[in-house]
Amino acid sequence: MEKYGFRFQLPAWVETFLAGMPLAFPEMESRMELAIELARRNVGEKTGGPFGAAVFDGEGVLVSCGVNLVESHNCSVLHAEVVAIALAQQRLGRYDIGAAGSGFFELVASTEPCAMCFGAVHWSGVARLVCGARDQDARAIGFDEGPKLPDWSAALEKNGIEVVRDVLRAEAAEVLRRYQAEGGTLYNAGRTLST
């Protein structure tokens, strides 16, 4: 029987891009700028969808980053948030990023989480989720964000995950619109639409 396995890796441009970055991003806006630039470059390099994310520790030090890899890896779960969370878990050596006593960790995402990423955030162990563009910004260009709780942010807060929304929203939403304008693929379950 054929062996099965699963591997993914960030596009080659990410390493080069990060080499020019500082080690720490002390302001929330600077952390969001990084997530948005990852999304922007993912579109520009044609390596995936218009989404970027990164995990930071409590000092603002970058732990991991992610970009949308759905098309390049033929895998619907490789959203930017999931990629960033998975790489942080591997780097830290634990599935619960914020396991008791291990410190504060934050996920910064260029767009609010879809239904799947909402679940991933819930189980990741991060203490804070920071979002740029809104769910409706992604839906406005044609993405199906899935059936999320109407008050998803309150649900995360109830479980101890602080949610900060609309950080550089206009800049993040512009990346979504650029993706649409350039004819990026909108991959929705059971149907693929071209913009």
Side-chain angles (χ1 to χ4, degrees):
M1 178 172 189
E2 184 180 340
K3 283 189 171 187
Y4 292 93
F6 182 73
R7 283 183 39 167
F8 68 88
Q9 70 181 59
L10 293 171
W13 63 262
V14 174
E15 186 175 345
T16 305
F17 168 67
L18 291 177
M21 292 286 133
L23 295 177
F25 298 79
E27 297 84 26
M28 186 178 293
E29 288 76 13
S30 67
R31 296 190 292 274
M32 180 57 72
E33 286 171 353
L34 176 66
I36 293 169
E37 188 58 27
L38 286 165
R40 184 179 291 115
R41 286 183 183 242
N42 207 37
V43 172
E45 297 285 341
K46 303 207 181 305
T47 50
F51 305 98
V55 174
F56 297 90
D57 70 13
E59 302 299 315
V61 174
L62 179 66
V63 176
S64 68
C65 68
V67 294
N68 181 283
L69 301 173
V70 171
E71 284 192 281
S72 64
H73 286 67
N74 291 313
C75 184
S76 63
V77 301
L78 291 180
H79 291 195
E81 299 96 315
V82 172
V83 170
I85 289 167
L87 291 173
Q89 291 167 333
Q90 292 300 298
R91 181 171 180 197
L92 297 170
R94 56 185 181 266
Y95 62 86
D96 182 349
I97 293 172
S102 62
F104 176 94
F105 293 91
E106 170 185 81
L107 174 65
V108 178
S110 64
T111 303
E112 291 178 346
C114 68
M116 177 183 67
C117 294
F118 166 80
V121 169
H122 173 78
W123 284 302
S124 69
V126 298
R128 182 182 329 170
L129 169 64
V130 180
C131 306
R134 288 258 178 151
D135 177 276
Q136 60 260 38
D137 298 325
R139 290 181 192 272
I141 70 160
F143 278 107
D144 178 353
E145 296 297 276
K148 264 189 342 196
L149 296 170
D151 201 355
W152 61 271
S153 59
L156 288 177
E157 299 248 1
K158 182 180 176 186
N159 285 290
I161 302 170
E162 179 187 359
V163 177
V164 180
R165 300 167 79 181
D166 298 332
V167 176
L168 303 179
R169 179 182 178 185
E171 293 88 336
E174 178 55 35
V175 176
L176 297 171
R177 289 189 296 275
R178 174 183 167 195
Y179 182 75
Q180 180 188 38
E182 292 181 5
T185 302
L186 299 174
Y187 36 85
N188 294 315
R191 60 211 179 276
T192 299
L193 310 169
S194 291
T195 58

